[in-house]
Amino acid sequence: MTEDARPPVLEIENLCISYFTRAGEIPAVKDFNLTVHAGESVGLVGESGCGKSTVAMAIMRYLGSNGGIVGGSIKFKGRDITHLSDEELRRMRGSEVAMIYQEPMAALNPALTIGAQLMEVPLIHEAVSEQEAYDRSRQMLADVKLPDPDRVMAAYPHQISGGQQQRVVIAMALLSKPALLLLDEPTTALDVTVEAGIIELIAEIAGKFGTAQVFISHNLGLVRETCDRICVMYSGEAVETGTIGDVFTRMRHPYTRGLFGAIPLPSANKNDRPLVAIPGQLPLPHQRPEGCNFGPRCEYFRDGVCGPNAIEMRDVPGEKSPHQTRCARFEEIDWDAPLGAGQVNDPIEPGEPVLVVDGMRKYYELYDRSIKAMLSGEGVKYVKANETLSFDAREAEIVAIVGESGCGKSTFAKVLMGLETATEGTITFKGDEIESTEVQQRPREQVASLQMVFQNPNDTLNPSMTVGGQIGRVIRKFGVETDPDKVHERVMRLLDMVKLPRDFYFRRPRQLSGGQKQRVGVARAFAGNPAMVIADEPVSALDVSVQAAVTELLMEIQREHGTTLLFISHDLSVVRYLADRIVVMYLGQIMEQGTTEEVFAPPYHPYTEALLSAVPIADTSVDKRKIVLEGNLPSVLNPPKGCPFETRCPRKLGAICETERPPVLVDSDTHRIACHIPLESLQAVEPVFFSVAETGSPAGPGAGSATTGSAAGE
Amino acid sequence: MLIFLAKRLGYLVFTMLVVSILVFLVLELDPGNVAQKVLGPYSNDEQRQIWMEANGYLDPLPVRYARWLGDFMIGDFGMSTRFKVPVSEILLPRLGNTALLGLGVLLVMVPLALLLGVLSGMKEGSVQDRTISVFSIATTSVPEFASGVFLVGIFVLWLGWLPGVSNMVGGFDIAQMVLPVAALVMYGFGYITRMTRASMAEVMQTHYIRTAVLKGVPQRQVIMKHALRNALIAPFTVIMLQINWLLSGVIVIEYLFAYKGFGSLLLEAALNKDIFVIEACTMVAVLVAVGTQTLADIGYMYLNPRIRFS
Amino acid sequence: MVASTEAAVPLPRRQSALARFLKSVALLRESPVGMVGAGIVIAWALAAILAPLISPFDPNSTILPFQKPGAIDPTTGKVFWLGTDKIGRDILSRIIYGGRRVLIYGPIATACAYAVGIVMGLAAGYFRGWWDSILSRVSDIVLSFPIFVLYVIVISTFGASGLNIVLAIIFASAPGIMRIVRGLTLDLRNRDYVAAAQTRGESPLYIMFVEILPNARGPLIVDACLRLGYVTITIGTLGFLGLGLPPPDPDWGGMVNENRALAPAFPHMIVYPCLAISSLVLGLNLLADGLREISIRD
């Protein structure tokens, strides 16, 4: 093993953190060790409740009134910060250790200009003059590639976009040249293509400023792109640490392996390599088991070895860099054995089209009541939420609609469900035109036949009604059963179907975990034997291991019932895994559609290409070309006249893109691209993804060589 | 900005018109009723008929309303039946007195309430917070007339420090102002305190306060520069709306302390069916209330950059 | 059939509504302030219910005027615990019966105002558009009246009967309730479970009253406590102004007004009714605060 020659910036030893509540002391983090060297970036990865953010807050010693460090030490440049006085602590915060937050909008003070908030940092920590503080702040805004720094300095946070806000937060953190930067899920609240720009910036910081980083994330792909080392946390403990390369290719803890099995890597496939969910649930902090915390969910658990004594971190022998695991049996486990049951499903042959969308438009009228607008006759503006959508979905097929916020996918779902009516065009569902019939006017069978699974587990269920009551209501409403006993029996069978215990019947939503609530949501959608289910980001709010379970459940039911699934998502890795066909939308229009294979291989629409490139991939054997989009997402109120993607397109041809709608290029029966670029040129584009083995380029952060363009600012 | 102002002013005019119609309908729908109130309960039908003819009360309702409104606009509110003088003559000095009382209340109440609210909300759940909260709940639970009674009991009957009547017969006397102001402040400050506390506590929980703390901003500056600016936006509106409450409160307190203000005038007029005084008082009260609300809206827009620049 | 055999599996018992109610009441123990408030309110409620049993005298019969607290009625030998008023009625008995009166009128007025405000607020918040514009405008106009100016003109014009007071309170309070309900509805109508109900074709009435209203109950219960306190103050203040519930039945505010002139010599005649109304309102406000504290915590 080699020791890192660089001096350690942060050394955390045997750190224990507890929260003190009415129920007593609740340990949040136990026996945590971490060393970060200058210029190094370490990823802290785990699911919600694993204690990763608590560690970051402890480094800042900001644990709230009921949290406290109960053991161990946190040494920053050799000084134990657990013993600093309030004044010493204040001088350290923001000058030597700085933080970047999850929601940039919330992290900036809405009542102060950005300039005032930035200038504060040098004014407080270095007592410089106002003028110098201004100059430095302005320079830092330019360094984080924000266009027009003077304007941004004078602006209030709500006047700039989310991506720009995050750049401001990063600038604020870097202003006093901190030795350590803590990043708490810095891109979770951003759109994928915006995220790519921020990640590129973060990756540059370490090189440019020599700042050590602790990068907190639930996303293994992001950690792979930004970090040198990784520390996987589970239930308040570090379970595995090591370099990205070691941990990603030779993981030595069953939880780490479980995580990788649960995320849709490019190699996963719904038919022959399905995702494997980690069984069970994360234990609550006061209900942790004795011995190995992961024991109850681990297939290798052996009483006496994995408990009741606490498991220590141990070195994995034979590695070049330090690699540790908290598994008592890691030497005995066959790490190459396939994970899970490895069930193989036959691909389904799709049947007749169930849904045909033809030239559907949805415009919203927006009344501008200002006198000026009325005089100039522009009192009514149209928001083109959906512009000439045409596609179909066949029986038992999974069609994914992919796009970022504002792309119109939710509006389309509303029209389909009859909550809105279309402005033009037709939507044919099982032979009936439904585009202008509101849900209350639709026949009951039709309503039952077209149901929806919602995004947010916390408000998909009515908190005041029991689980059974909510499912039962659907059954009665759709007239599936009317006799109370039969309704009851059917609810029970639906609970069985979504693999929930029958005694959940009388439970209320707040007694359920997020994944369980989504299962109830699935049961409710399938209560009326639907022919088609729309799933609007059904798993995006769930933890990784739960995502896999709910995704698999949804697909299993869909497969069994031959249901058509319209899967709305922004996450291309999930979509690649489960969809048969993909529709890519941008600003209300379809940019590209085709089978999954076709969309993921050239020819690409330039937007699809950028979107694919923006997806973080947690597989060290796959690399990708980096394409970072410039500019902001245009407002739907004022979309570009020609191609909607024209303002950000790295392959823009010229004036034609600005003035004319792009033609639809037909690549195959199923594959269509709306672009001015000739098909031949698009076909000649290199694939976004390539296998590392083929090109021989090394794995690791920033390995992508073909970086085209950079974020000059959104 | 100008459009916004014009809109608010237009809305003010609209509200006043609707209120004037309501007041007119409630009080003057039946002309015979008006005549009876003006001439007194012992007038006979013939006298009333003559009065109604002489004063145009036999015209159709819309005509009467238009004339009534026109008179109102030029400040002709009619004659008071009780005081036997034009209403405006008696109303204006009374309004002045009430404005004085209201000013005194606001000057004491607003700084006190804001200070206590900020102190309380700064550290939610602390002993300081709980003490202030319970104290402000307690004072708000005592109706104005009861707090007046308690204050009189302590400072007039027991200690004998202050006069218990504030009729100012011997000219303006600041000592006579103390108890009316104190009673109104006692009941009113708790509400502002609690709103300020809630707003401050909410702001202290926000992420941007965390950002400021983790930026190394000193605690004092976190409160003064980052928190207050956001936390005082909501109470500002509440304070402006308190003027509305003050107009109610002065009725009780002026009656209790025999202070010659607008509230006691309205009450006296109401108890004596002095119809034109009631009308004038009501319209003035609503004008003051809607006017301050308009000011509150404008001020709110100015305070909140999120609204100012959109 | 598999299903039928499985259905025979015994089910867990459903918690009765009563059990759940008691459980949520038990939560109040977490808040000492709320417990004190609940204690005061329950004490007044009991006093109101048991008034005929516990009040020593008939509240309206004149016995012996100007008695100080603790004086003894020579004919019956009973004690005037809080003295008598200027026409010789027992103040304690009048306070107990006054509490009964305010605890009848107050909750009735509040409940009716809620019924009106909830329907208006749900309609405005759920349908939005024209409904919202009209209902919001109307309530803005009512709310722009200084509230006692409104009471004074309404009651002086239409007379001071119990019904008129209740109607005036409904008229003045419903817009405020409507605003709160509207705000909650605007928030709740965007929840996915409302969308789920819409996509299965539920009627607006079902959605408003089954999907939305029950989930707004937390803030509404807190507000109802505060509002009941405020209505109590209103009834008392109207009585004090001489516009309250008609005599001779006891009314706290009225008792203060009747005996005000004698305060310098007989403070007990007005101090005890003031204490009575203040304590009841305090109880309601503390209860509201406790409920709010608990609802934020969970």
Side-chain angles (χ1 to χ4, degrees):
Chain A
M1 285 210 285
T2 54
E3 283 299 317
D4 200 312
R6 292 171 295 185
V9 173
L10 179 74
E11 296 161 279
I12 302 180
E13 275 170 33
N14 306 323
L15 179 67
C16 297
I17 304 167
S18 287
Y19 287 102
F20 298 90
T21 66
R22 281 172 293 149
E25 179 180 346
I26 292 175
V29 173
K30 266 176 19 193
D31 189 27
F32 183 82
N33 292 280
L34 182 73
T35 304
V36 185
H37 297 274
E40 185 184 39
S41 71
V42 177
L44 217 51
V45 174
E47 298 177 276
S48 56
C50 73
K52 55 190 192 298
S53 293
T54 307
V55 169
M57 287 305 171
I59 298 171
M60 281 289 200
R61 244 183 73 191
Y62 189 80
L63 290 167
S65 54
N66 63 341
I69 296 168
V70 292
S73 64
I74 302 174
K75 283 200 184 112
F76 175 72
K77 289 183 171 169
R79 257 196 324 170
D80 190 346
I81 67 136
T82 56
H83 294 111
L84 292 186
S85 72
D86 284 354
E87 181 56 23
E88 288 169 316
L89 193 64
R90 185 187 70 71
R91 269 187 256 132
M92 180 198 83
R93 286 171 174 170
S95 75
E96 299 199 81
V97 185
M99 191 152 181
I100 293 167
Y101 311 89
Q102 181 165 355
E103 286 171 48
M105 180 72 185
L108 293 171
N109 192 326
L112 296 175
T113 60
I114 286 166
Q117 298 186 54
L118 286 171
M119 284 160 62
E120 210 171 30
V121 178
L123 283 174
I124 288 168
H125 290 297
E126 297 170 56
V128 298
S129 68
E130 289 265 334
Q131 184 58 43
E132 194 184 340
Y134 184 90
D135 293 342
R136 274 209 224 170
S137 307
R138 196 192 162 284
Q139 182 55 44
M140 190 52 80
L141 287 182
D143 286 349
V144 296
K145 294 168 186 161
L146 274 168
D148 201 356
D150 286 309
R151 188 186 65 82
V152 176
M153 286 290 283
Y156 285 93
H158 70 276
Q159 294 172 304
I160 59 175
S161 74
Q164 289 174 328
Q165 285 166 355
Q166 194 59 298
R167 283 174 196 267
V168 168
V169 173
I170 293 172
M172 190 150 60
L174 293 174
L175 257 175
S176 58
K177 310 215 164 31
L180 178 65
L181 200 54
L182 306 173
L183 302 105
D184 189 1
E185 306 254 8
T187 58
T188 309
L190 304 173
D191 264 326
V192 196
T193 54
V194 177
E195 171 182 81
I198 299 288
I199 288 300
E200 191 190 41
L201 178 67
I202 289 170
E204 283 174 18
I205 290 172
K208 206 163 163 184
F209 298 90
T211 319
Q213 295 178 16
V214 174
F215 188 97
I216 296 160
S217 182
H218 65 281
N219 187 324
L220 287 164
L222 280 181
V223 168
R224 181 210 162 194
E225 289 187 5
T226 51
C227 297
D228 308 309
R229 287 196 296 125
I230 181 174
C231 171
V232 182
M233 291 188 72
Y234 178 78
S235 191
E237 292 177 329
V239 294
E240 186 165 6
T241 62
T243 61
I244 297 285
D246 289 346
V247 174
F248 276 53
T249 48
R250 291 183 301 279
M251 54 215 85
R252 286 296 176 265
H253 193 283
Y255 174 65
T256 316
R257 199 162 77 128
L259 275 185
F260 278 95
I263 55 175
L265 296 175
S267 56
N269 179 293
K270 67 172 165 179
N271 291 324
D272 39 70
R273 286 193 58 188
L275 301 183
V276 183
I278 303 174
Q281 282 185 53
L282 193 75
L284 294 172
H286 53 279
Q287 291 170 351
R288 286 179 188 141
E290 290 193 321
C292 180
N293 276 346
F294 189 61
R297 303 174 71 183
C298 182
E299 58 176 314
Y300 302 106
F301 180 80
R302 185 173 295 166
D303 212 3
V305 182
C306 304
N309 296 328
I311 314 294
E312 298 294 321
M313 274 305 240
R314 288 198 294 153
D315 284 317
V316 177
E319 298 276 20
K320 290 196 201 78
S321 328
H323 183 180
Q324 293 183 306
T325 173
R326 202 183 283 275
C327 179
R329 302 189 62 216
F330 78 92
E331 279 146 322
E332 309 160 37
I333 295 170
D334 174 11
W335 295 99
D336 297 322
L339 190 62
Q343 187 194 0
V344 175
N345 296 306
D346 294 324
I348 312 171
E349 225 15 77
E352 289 299 302
V354 175
L355 179 79
V356 181
V357 183
D358 188 17
M360 200 284 277
R361 288 180 185 186
K362 174 67 191 172
Y363 291 179
Y364 289 103
E365 286 179 358
L366 202 74
Y367 298 97
D368 188 343
R369 289 216 174 88
S370 70
I371 298 162
K372 202 174 125 200
M374 284 190 187
L375 287 179
S376 59
E378 288 169 1
V380 185
K381 280 187 176 171
Y382 291 98
V383 178
K384 297 175 181 176
N386 285 163
E387 180 69 78
T388 350
L389 303 187
S390 299
F391 70 96
D392 54 32
R394 288 175 292 172
E395 192 191 328
E397 195 177 41
I398 302 184
V399 177
I401 299 184
V402 176
E404 296 174 275
S405 55
C407 75
K409 51 193 186 190
S410 305
T411 303
F412 174 70
K414 277 187 186 163
V415 176
L416 200 53
M417 300 306 295
L419 301 182
E420 304 272 0
T421 52
T423 312
E424 231 182 279
T426 57
I427 299 176
T428 314
F429 176 69
K430 295 213 294 184
D432 303 316
E433 291 196 0
I434 59 168
E435 72 282 346
S436 47
T437 322
E438 285 190 19
V439 63
Q440 291 208 37
Q441 273 72 54
R442 291 183 184 178
R444 194 168 69 181
E445 298 71 36
Q446 199 178 63
V447 174
S449 195
L450 183 57
Q451 278 296 297
M452 188 153 173
V453 179
F454 296 88
Q455 174 174 12
N456 188 344
N458 293 324
D459 65 37
T460 191
L461 302 180
N462 186 333
S464 332
M465 287 164 82
T466 60
V467 166
Q470 308 200 36
I471 303 176
R473 170 77 194 177
V474 183
I475 295 167
R476 285 193 303 276
K477 178 81 191 163
F478 291 158
V480 182
E481 302 284 357
T482 43
D483 176 64
D485 289 339
K486 290 243 175 79
V487 170
H488 186 267
E489 187 189 314
R490 171 121 181 103
V491 174
M492 290 302 171
R493 274 191 281 138
L494 283 165
L495 285 175
D496 294 344
M497 182 182 84
V498 295
K499 302 188 173 119
L500 286 175
R502 291 191 156 198
D503 63 3
F504 272 39
Y505 189 96
F506 289 123
R507 294 235 182 144
R508 269 159 214 280
R510 66 185 155 81
Q511 298 166 293
L512 270 56
S513 70
Q516 288 167 340
K517 286 183 210 169
Q518 282 306 72
R519 284 170 193 262
V520 177
V522 171
R524 184 177 60 189
F526 281 87
N529 295 320
M532 177 158 160
V533 167
I534 301 167
D536 185 1
E537 308 253 16
V539 297
S540 64
L542 301 175
D543 262 323
V544 175
S545 65
V546 184
Q547 272 188 8
V550 174
T551 308
E552 288 304 313
L553 173 81
L554 194 55
M555 285 173 42
E556 186 185 316
I557 299 171
Q558 176 261 343
R559 190 187 292 272
E560 250 167 49
H561 292 67
T563 317
T564 307
L565 189 64
L566 198 62
F567 192 88
I568 298 176
S569 179
H570 70 281
D571 185 347
L572 274 171
S573 22
V574 175
V575 164
R576 149 144 63 182
Y577 169 72
L578 58 75
D580 298 305
R581 285 195 299 123
I582 297 176
V583 176
V584 180
M585 284 181 71
Y586 184 79
L587 282 188
Q589 303 190 26
I590 295 179
M591 309 308 285
E592 177 170 359
Q593 59 175 310
T595 64
T596 306
E597 293 73 30
E598 284 167 339
V599 170
F600 273 79
Y604 304 115
H605 187 283
Y607 174 64
T608 315
E609 192 183 355
L611 207 54
L612 290 177
S613 162
V615 179
I617 295 192
D619 185 340
T620 45
S621 68
V622 175
D623 226 322
K624 66 186 188 193
R625 283 190 292 128
K626 281 202 178 147
I627 301 159
V628 175
L629 291 182
E630 294 178 25
N632 282 320
L633 206 71
S635 155
V636 277
L637 277 174
N638 193 14
K641 279 202 175 62
C643 171
F645 189 52
E646 162 261 314
T647 54
R648 302 169 79 198
C649 182
R651 297 187 186 277
K652 183 175 162 184
L653 292 176
I656 187 170
C657 297
E658 291 165 23
T659 50
E660 277 177 49
R661 280 285 167 77
V664 175
L665 310 174
V666 181
D667 178 48
S668 76
D669 276 356
T670 47
H671 191 201
R672 278 148 217 274
I673 299 170
C675 189
H676 286 293
I677 303 172
L679 195 58
E680 302 78 59
S681 312
L682 290 176
Q683 276 162 341
V685 168
E686 295 265 308
V688 170
F689 302 108
F690 50 90
S691 146
V692 179
E694 279 172 30
T695 60
S697 69
S705 44
T707 304
T708 63
S710 64
E714 294 120 40
Chain B
M1 184 65 195
L2 275 175
I3 293 172
F4 177 81
L5 280 179
K7 258 189 188 168
R8 295 312 310 173
L9 287 176
Y11 180 60
L12 186 148
V13 172
F14 170 75
T15 309
M16 289 309 298
L17 274 178
V18 174
V19 168
S20 71
I21 292 172
L22 285 177
V23 169
F24 184 78
L25 287 183
V26 167
L27 294 167
E28 297 206 6
L29 183 64
D30 175 11
N33 206 357
V34 179
Q36 191 193 344
K37 280 177 182 166
V38 171
L39 299 176
Y42 305 112
S43 55
N44 59 36
D45 281 352
E46 199 183 339
Q47 289 167 319
R48 288 178 202 157
Q49 197 63 32
I50 292 167
W51 183 87
M52 283 195 284
E53 256 171 60
N55 291 283
Y57 270 80
L58 297 177
D59 294 337
L61 196 65
V63 177
R64 283 200 289 132
Y65 170 71
R67 190 165 53 224
W68 178 85
L69 189 66
D71 287 346
F72 244 90
M73 306 271 267
I74 55 166
D76 177 5
F77 304 129
M79 288 286 283
S80 162
T81 54
R82 184 168 162 77
F83 301 98
K84 313 292 181 205
V85 288
V87 172
S88 52
E89 243 172 68
I90 183 162
L91 184 61
L92 288 176
R94 292 291 191 114
L95 274 177
N97 287 345
T98 294
L100 201 65
L101 179 61
L103 193 69
V105 171
L106 290 178
L107 280 180
V108 177
M109 179 172 74
V110 172
L112 178 76
L114 290 183
L115 181 71
L116 289 179
V118 168
L119 285 178
S120 180
M122 228 165 65
K123 279 193 164 180
E124 206 184 352
S126 63
V127 179
Q128 172 182 307
D129 172 30
R130 282 175 190 281
T131 317
I132 294 174
S133 290
V134 171
F135 176 67
S136 62
I137 291 175
T139 57
T140 307
S141 303
V142 184
E144 288 117 335
F145 73 86
S147 53
V149 163
F150 293 144
L151 287 172
V152 168
I154 294 169
F155 292 102
V156 181
L157 301 182
W158 185 34
L159 298 172
W161 290 355
L162 292 164
V165 179
S166 312
N167 52 14
M168 309 275 170
V169 278
F172 181 75
D173 177 8
I174 190 96
Q176 295 189 9
M177 290 294 279
V178 174
L179 289 184
V181 168
L184 282 167
V185 168
M186 258 181 74
Y187 179 69
F189 93 95
Y191 186 62
I192 303 181
T193 302
R194 277 146 56 90
M195 291 300 288
T196 312
R197 173 190 178 273
S199 174
M200 187 70 187
E202 194 187 317
V203 167
M204 290 308 284
Q205 295 288 322
T206 58
H207 287 197
Y208 56 81
I209 292 299
R210 183 179 72 181
T211 308
V213 171
L214 295 187
K215 216 156 62 168
V217 178
Q219 179 69 14
R220 219 186 134 71
Q221 208 175 329
V222 170
I223 304 283
M224 301 300 287
K225 186 174 169 188
H226 288 266
L228 282 188
R229 203 170 292 214
N230 291 290
L232 293 185
I233 293 174
F236 170 77
T237 325
V238 173
I239 291 167
M240 295 304 276
L241 294 179
Q242 286 294 299
I243 304 221
N244 197 333
W245 154 80
L246 209 52
L247 286 167
S248 297
V250 293
I251 299 178
V252 179
I253 288 302
E254 290 181 357
Y255 173 59
L256 181 66
F257 289 98
Y259 184 79
K260 295 249 172 278
F262 152 85
S264 53
L265 176 67
L266 173 62
L267 187 67
E268 204 176 337
L271 294 174
N272 293 294
K273 317 260 181 223
D274 192 348
I275 181 166
F276 299 124
V277 175
I278 298 177
E279 284 172 3
C281 284
T282 308
M283 291 304 287
V284 166
V286 176
L287 181 65
V288 171
V290 180
T292 48
Q293 273 163 42
T294 309
L295 282 179
D297 286 343
I298 296 169
Y300 182 76
M301 194 184 78
Y302 181 74
L303 280 181
N304 194 342
R306 263 192 252 196
I307 299 181
R308 206 185 333 154
F309 297 102
S310 61
Chain C
M1 281 294 288
V2 185
S4 55
T5 55
E6 278 176 7
V9 175
L11 279 165
R13 286 267 309 286
R14 183 196 176 120
Q15 270 191 326
S16 72
L18 183 69
R20 278 187 288 121
F21 176 74
L22 289 176
K23 223 172 165 183
S24 47
V25 168
L27 274 178
L28 198 60
R29 271 188 307 197
E30 305 281 344
S31 161
V33 167
M35 285 297 282
V36 172
I40 297 174
V41 174
I42 290 170
W44 274 117
L46 283 178
I49 293 164
L50 303 176
L53 298 177
I54 58 170
S55 58
F57 296 92
D58 179 273
N60 289 334
S61 59
T62 55
I63 306 155
L64 203 58
F66 302 113
Q67 293 301 303
K68 299 250 173 184
I72 292 167
D73 176 20
T75 44
T76 56
K78 286 193 280 189
V79 183
F80 299 116
W81 292 108
L82 302 181
T84 59
D85 66 5
K86 64 178 178 188
I87 55 170
R89 296 172 295 195
D90 177 50
I91 289 180
L92 177 62
S93 305
R94 285 184 72 72
I95 284 179
I96 292 171
Y97 272 91
R100 185 179 226 196
R101 211 161 171 211
V102 81
L103 282 172
I104 290 169
Y105 282 104
I108 287 177
T110 311
C112 294
Y114 257 87
V116 177
I118 282 174
V119 171
M120 285 170 65
L122 281 174
Y126 186 70
F127 295 117
R128 299 192 296 183
W130 282 110
W131 277 99
D132 190 17
S133 302
I134 293 168
L135 289 171
S136 293
R137 260 313 116 84
V138 168
S139 68
D140 281 352
I141 287 170
V142 176
L143 286 174
S144 68
F145 273 94
I147 204 126
F148 267 91
V149 175
L150 184 74
Y151 288 137
V152 167
I153 46 171
V154 169
I155 292 168
S156 68
T157 308
F158 298 109
S161 70
L163 179 67
N164 282 350
I165 288 175
V166 168
L167 287 176
I169 289 173
I170 295 171
F171 183 71
S173 314
I177 297 165
M178 176 243 164
R179 274 196 184 176
I180 295 173
V181 176
R182 172 179 173 273
L184 291 165
T185 307
L186 281 176
D187 175 29
L188 292 172
R189 77 190 294 283
N190 292 326
R191 300 296 164 94
D192 283 346
Y193 56 82
V194 173
Q198 286 170 335
T199 56
R200 63 173 187 261
E202 299 284 6
S203 69
L205 272 182
Y206 176 88
I207 293 175
M208 286 191 285
F209 284 97
V210 181
E211 302 281 350
I212 293 178
L213 187 58
N215 295 308
R217 65 178 186 267
L220 291 185
I221 290 171
V222 173
D223 179 71
C225 281
L226 290 174
R227 212 167 277 278
L228 185 55
Y230 189 67
V231 168
T232 307
I233 289 183
T234 304
I235 294 175
T237 304
L238 286 174
F240 171 74
L241 294 177
L243 297 167
L245 298 167
D249 282 346
D251 169 74
W252 290 342
M255 290 166 74
V256 177
N257 193 33
E258 287 158 13
N259 299 295
R260 207 155 65 88
L262 299 161
F266 303 99
H268 70 268
M269 290 184 189
I270 62 171
V271 167
Y272 291 118
C274 284
L275 280 176
I277 188 168
S278 303
S279 65
L280 175 56
V281 178
L282 180 68
L284 287 164
N285 284 351
L286 291 178
L287 178 61
D289 200 60
L291 290 173
R292 175 176 20 227
E293 203 178 314
I294 288 158
S295 68
I296 288 169
R297 206 176 284 164
D298 299 295

